[in-house]
Amino acid sequence: MFVDERVLTLFKRNAHHTLTYWSVFFSFGLCIAFLGPTICDLQSQTNSTIDQITWVFFSQQFCLLIGSSIGGVFKRTLLSALSALFVSALIISVIFAIIPLCNNVLLLAVAMAVSGLAMGIIDTIANIQLVTIYQKDSAVFLQALHFFIGFGALVSPLIADPFLSEGGCGNSTGNGSQIMHHVRFMLRHTPILEPNITQSHPVHAGEEEESSVHYAFWIMALINIPVPLAVLFLMYREQLIPCCPSGTPRLLDKDELAMEHQQGAESTEEEQKEHEAGGHGDIFSCCRNDNLRGLPVSFFMIHILGGLVLFMTDGIVGAYAGFVYYYGVAPPMSLPPKTAGYLASIFWAAITAGRLLSIPLSYRFQPVRLLMFNLAGAIVTVLMLLIFYTSSTFLFVGTCLCGLFLSSIFPCMLAYTEDILDYQGCATSVLVTSAGMGEMVMQVLVGSIIHTEGSYSFLLCGMVIACLGFIVFIGLMLFHRMHRNYLTGTKKKSAMVEEPAGEQDGSAKTEQKENS
């Protein structure tokens, strides 16, 4: 069989938990991708400039970072973890429903900040729970988990597309000096926008477009409703709802599950306590962990460099998804707004397909090989986009390739670092936090550079960031070798200590026999 019986049996015993975590990540993807294609409509709805609406990205990503940092607090018990997932998924549906009521950019930023906090909690808890359940077999299931981010991110722009306005982004406040440089070029080359903004703006942009956007957000809110219900049903099955106890006993299943997690190896209570103290907490408890004393430099550098790689690569994902539309409508591309709107959908579709393809690949190939291939492919793709910067056809092809190569870097890096550290570190919390920080920082940084240097700098930023990520990854592999040598030396020393102790016990028993 393509998947061996052990992994298949492990999945069957964890199917309900696994499918629930996958569905929650669908909510994550649904919420992360709608800002790109709807940003012009939201600008008209809030009567704000592009400079102001860009900070909505920042508010979402900043609170996503906070949620990722504190999300590990809720993993201490299954009740707290599932309760946090239920509340977070429900919040996302509520935010979708109230976004059309946000008539100024401050209210919209607050709404997106709350959704970002919920997304961060979902990100950390779902990753930690899957890594805890499957451990060395987690690579395949993490790929599937992140496939559902891509699936939700693909659905979101497709739902929004029929309700998008026909025109591009305009400055509703009338202050042309505050519009980003690449958007000013778009307006100059779209003559139909001038009358819409100056003459019919109060009626067309204020009423017709706003009412159309309402439907998109309400549809996404309804689509997301089954997700918190699925989490609630899992809590019912696990007898975690006091007022609704389930009639099915679960203790035997949990015992068998614990045995499967250990892969047939017996563990003492001391080892379990050490594992609980050693990893998978929130980022702050990881820093305060007393077990970190005496560990080698390679242990810490693996956390740092792994986080930096995701800081770069997830930063590219966030920046590309957020600004590829503006790059498409700006010269030299000058695509029609409706045509450029498909770029975000193609990008997320490629990420979805890439993560689906990575599920069987992660079973056949080691994560380090997939990481090397994906990082190199991303660099080559962005380089080709720079060379053929005037080709609108290659922009769509390159967007697809870029999504394919970037799609599986996060789950591969998570599986790779956790395997290096033997699931004893805080890699999950560090990597999730670093990825969220990368998306937050890179979106603001790339947006500022585009504003001052023009649309072509969008690809230059991607190229520089991708090359830096590849260099950091090479450093990670070097420290991986150092850490492996450290572990080998530690095992040899412990074996040498145990061997003389065994000889002394044997000689003592021999002397006792002779004396008797």
Side-chain angles (χ1 to χ4, degrees):
M1 294 181 62
F2 186 75
V3 180
D4 60 43
E5 288 294 334
R6 183 181 59 82
V7 175
L8 190 60
T9 302
L10 187 59
F11 171 72
K12 289 180 179 179
R13 292 182 177 179
N14 294 275
H16 196 176
H17 284 263
T18 305
L19 293 174
T20 302
Y21 299 143
W22 287 352
S23 69
V24 173
F25 254 46
F26 174 80
S27 292
F28 186 102
L30 201 68
C31 197
I32 203 173
F34 78 89
L35 266 180
T38 62
I39 195 168
C40 294
D41 297 87
L42 291 176
Q43 178 197 349
S44 299
Q45 175 184 309
T46 57
N47 294 319
S48 59
T49 65
I50 292 294
D51 280 340
Q52 293 169 342
I53 204 73
T54 301
W55 286 98
V56 175
F57 284 103
F58 178 82
S59 65
Q60 184 189 52
Q61 294 298 331
F62 179 73
C63 288
L64 193 154
L65 173 64
I66 295 176
S68 300
S69 302
I70 66 175
V73 174
F74 300 103
K75 67 95 195 180
R76 299 186 185 280
T77 64
L78 185 61
L79 174 62
S80 61
L82 293 179
S83 299
L85 289 179
F86 169 74
V87 173
S88 299
L90 188 61
I91 285 175
I92 289 177
S93 289
V94 174
I95 293 299
F96 276 132
I98 68 173
I99 281 177
L101 305 178
C102 300
N103 293 323
N104 65 70
V105 72
L106 181 59
L107 289 177
L108 182 61
V110 171
M112 296 312 302
V114 174
S115 69
L117 188 66
M119 291 161 61
I121 293 174
I122 287 173
D123 197 6
T124 298
I125 292 180
N127 278 292
I128 287 178
Q129 292 296 104
L130 276 187
V131 169
T132 303
I133 290 174
Y134 293 105
Q135 295 197 10
K136 290 186 178 298
D137 298 303
S138 61
V140 176
F141 301 98
L142 286 173
Q143 294 286 0
L145 178 71
H146 289 267
F147 159 79
F148 280 91
I149 289 185
F151 181 59
L154 170 62
V155 170
S156 186
L158 292 178
I159 294 174
D161 183 71
F163 305 99
L164 298 180
S165 60
E166 293 292 336
C169 293
N171 185 3
S172 300
T173 63
N175 186 357
S177 62
Q178 292 183 356
I179 303 181
M180 299 174 79
H181 183 67
H182 57 288
V183 179
R184 289 204 301 268
F185 276 113
M186 177 195 68
L187 293 175
R188 291 174 187 173
H189 289 75
T190 315
I192 194 173
L193 294 182
E194 293 291 340
N196 287 342
I197 296 173
T198 58
Q199 297 177 10
S200 60
H201 171 267
V203 178
H204 179 70
E207 297 177 5
E208 182 179 349
E209 293 181 9
E210 181 181 348
S211 62
S212 297
V213 172
H214 279 47
Y215 295 112
F217 291 117
W218 289 339
I219 290 172
M220 285 187 278
L222 290 175
I223 289 177
N224 190 65
I225 284 295
V227 176
L229 295 180
V231 179
L232 192 64
F233 182 64
L234 179 60
M235 296 175 66
Y236 169 77
R237 288 286 304 275
E238 292 292 335
Q239 301 183 2
L240 299 177
I241 304 177
C243 60
C244 302
S246 174
T248 305
R250 306 289 295 173
L251 293 178
L252 182 60
D253 292 343
K254 290 181 180 179
D255 290 340
E256 293 176 352
L257 199 60
M259 294 175 64
E260 186 68 29
H261 294 167
Q262 297 297 330
Q263 299 177 1
E266 296 181 355
S267 60
T268 62
E269 293 183 0
E270 293 181 358
E271 289 174 341
Q272 293 178 355
K273 291 180 180 179
E274 181 180 355
H275 180 272
E276 181 69 20
H280 302 121
D282 62 283
I283 192 79
F284 304 107
S285 63
C286 288
C287 296
R288 297 192 304 266
N289 199 333
D290 294 335
N291 293 337
L292 299 179
R293 297 176 182 176
L295 291 173
V297 175
S298 59
F299 178 87
F300 300 99
M301 290 304 298
I302 288 170
H303 286 83
I304 294 172
L305 295 180
L308 283 176
V309 172
L310 291 186
F311 181 89
M312 303 294 180
T313 55
D314 270 52
I316 295 175
V317 172
Y320 201 94
F323 294 105
V324 68
Y325 171 82
Y326 293 110
Y327 178 77
V329 297
M333 290 299 174
S334 300
L335 296 174
K338 275 288 185 181
T339 303
Y342 289 112
L343 288 169
S345 297
I346 291 174
F347 180 68
W348 287 113
I351 287 181
T352 305
R355 286 172 176 168
L356 184 63
L357 181 64
S358 298
I359 295 174
L361 290 178
S362 62
Y363 184 76
R364 290 296 184 93
F365 300 99
Q366 294 180 348
V368 63
R369 294 185 177 181
L370 294 176
L371 284 168
M372 179 72 73
F373 177 76
N374 288 333
L375 287 169
I379 292 174
V380 173
T381 301
V382 179
L383 179 61
M384 297 300 290
L385 284 170
L386 280 169
I387 295 174
F388 300 102
Y389 69 97
T390 58
S391 172
S392 58
T393 302
F394 192 78
L395 176 60
F396 283 89
V397 175
T399 298
C400 182
L401 292 175
C402 195
L404 286 173
F405 287 120
L406 292 172
S407 61
S408 60
I409 291 179
F410 183 94
C412 283
M413 181 60 69
L414 192 60
Y416 177 52
T417 51
E418 286 283 13
D419 191 37
I420 294 173
L421 301 171
D422 198 22
Y423 308 92
Q424 297 295 316
C426 290
T428 300
S429 298
V430 172
L431 296 184
V432 170
T433 303
S434 300
M437 186 181 297
E439 290 190 31
M440 176 189 68
V441 173
M442 291 303 174
Q443 282 182 345
V444 176
L445 178 63
V446 172
S448 300
I449 294 175
I450 293 175
H451 172 59
T452 56
E453 302 297 333
S455 61
Y456 188 75
S457 60
F458 168 70
L459 295 178
L460 286 175
C461 290
M463 185 67 185
V464 172
I465 296 170
C467 290
L468 289 176
F470 188 82
I471 293 172
V472 174
F473 177 69
I474 297 299
L476 174 63
M477 290 195 297
L478 294 176
F479 278 100
H480 175 203
R481 179 172 295 183
M482 292 175 56
H483 192 68
R484 185 172 55 193
N485 294 337
Y486 165 79
L487 293 177
T488 303
T490 304
K491 291 179 180 179
K492 288 182 178 179
K493 289 181 180 179
S494 61
M496 292 175 63
V497 171
E498 291 175 359
E499 185 175 353
E503 292 178 355
Q504 291 178 2
D505 293 340
S507 60
K509 291 180 180 179
T510 303
E511 291 179 359
Q512 290 178 359
K513 289 181 180 179
E514 291 177 354
N515 293 333
S516 61

